[in-house]
Amino acid sequence: MVSTGGCMKPSSTRKGKRDVGSAGLAAFPRAGFTVVLAGMALLGLSGCFCRPRQEAAEPSRPVAPPPPATSGAEPSGAPVAGSAPPRIIADLLVVSLDNAPLQGMIPIVTERPNAFDPPPFRGEPTDARGRSRFVFPADRKWCLRAWDPELKWFANNFLEVAPSEEDAGMDGTIVMAPASAIACMITDTAGTPLANRPVEVMLSHPRHGPWWPARQTSSPEGTVLFPQLPPGRFDLEFRTDDRITRLPDMLLPPGGALNLGTVGF
């Protein structure tokens, strides 16, 4: 993983709640954030997919995220002492690796950037220009990324958003890479194909640990295809029955498939 920039807290004091629907971000103090590259950073892609003005903070389960605690422009939380809790107002641009805008991507925040924590807040899907305004609480550090409900695209970076004691604005870019896949044949130690067996694979990130799980059943010939996986470099752990096989530092190509040949147990 590669990070650029640093987390900074806005210096202004929040005077009152502004209308985020019509206000430009210039009306808000700037939120602090760090751009962090996900699995594709390990493909040697360069570090900053963000616009130069960026200043704030992606799997996610292998199914669509569960309904968030709240969504849209108003995060949940009771006002304290008659004052609304501070918010981050994020104007996001979501693009592909070739910088084309992507429609229908859903901004989400989680406390950790893995595929297991359901997002408590999510924004409206991006429009035809790849843009969405997303409002969420500013009371803690968040990992902000985009989610494709169809699992055709995976976030190549996420944004670590610093907490703020006031309403703060940010504009950021999330770059999405096309899904990858893994193909293999599973065999026992004698080389005999293991037919019709449930097989699990766990993709682990070298820095952030377990990242993305998947499960399939082998064919009568022992072959297995795991589609719709995040691209990048990962350590792979395969399980079937009580047997485990580990393959370190494997590259899942964006928009392609990693053919492992035979995976023995």
Side-chain angles (χ1 to χ4, degrees):
M1 299 290 287
V2 178
S3 65
T4 61
C7 289
M8 303 172 290
K9 290 186 177 180
S11 57
S12 310
T13 301
R14 186 165 63 104
K15 301 294 184 180
K17 195 170 184 178
R18 299 176 175 87
D19 177 10
V20 301
S22 57
L25 289 186
F28 297 93
R30 304 302 293 169
F33 69 96
T34 301
V35 180
V36 184
L37 298 183
M40 287 288 292
L42 303 176
L43 294 180
L45 301 179
S46 61
C48 191
F49 294 114
C50 57
R51 287 175 284 177
R53 293 181 60 246
Q54 274 193 315
E55 305 158 17
E58 184 205 351
S60 4
R61 301 166 54 194
V63 294
T70 184
S71 63
E74 296 299 328
S76 63
V80 178
S83 176
R87 307 156 301 167
I88 301 294
I89 300 93
D91 277 353
L92 291 180
L93 172 64
V94 181
V95 298
S96 65
L97 290 173
D98 59 3
N99 210 37
L102 292 176
Q103 186 173 8
M105 305 295 108
I106 300 175
I108 62 173
V109 290
T110 52
E111 294 192 39
R112 296 178 299 174
N114 59 35
F116 307 100
D117 297 341
F121 302 97
R122 64 179 179 181
E124 294 298 318
T126 53
D127 60 20
R129 302 174 300 154
R131 297 188 176 276
S132 176
R133 174 164 285 193
F134 181 23
V135 181
F136 51 93
D139 60 341
R140 70 195 70 184
K141 185 178 80 171
W142 293 106
C143 295
L144 168 60
R145 63 190 190 274
W147 170 268
D148 177 13
E150 298 182 359
L151 297 181
K152 294 179 179 179
W153 300 89
F154 288 85
N156 185 54
N157 66 311
F158 63 90
L159 308 176
E160 290 183 334
V161 183
S164 175
E165 297 179 355
E166 59 188 341
D167 284 352
M170 60 167 283
D171 59 290
T173 299
I174 300 294
V175 176
M176 308 290 282
S180 190
I182 294 175
C184 65
M185 173 183 287
I186 59 171
T187 68
D188 61 17
T189 53
T192 303
L194 298 175
N196 305 311
R197 299 291 183 91
V199 189
E200 299 177 355
V201 64
M202 174 64 71
L203 280 60
S204 290
H205 192 279
R207 177 177 174 186
H208 295 280
W211 191 258
W212 188 271
R215 181 184 177 91
Q216 293 290 333
T217 299
S218 64
S219 72
E221 294 76 32
T223 57
V224 186
L225 175 65
F226 296 94
Q228 299 176 311
L229 299 177
R233 286 194 179 276
F234 298 97
D235 296 331
L236 306 181
E237 180 179 278
F238 292 88
R239 292 176 178 262
T240 184
D241 300 329
D242 294 328
R243 311 174 192 181
I244 299 175
T245 295
R246 296 182 175 91
L247 301 176
D249 193 27
M250 304 303 293
L251 174 60
L252 278 65
L258 170 63
N259 190 339
L260 293 173
T262 299
V263 175
F265 288 89

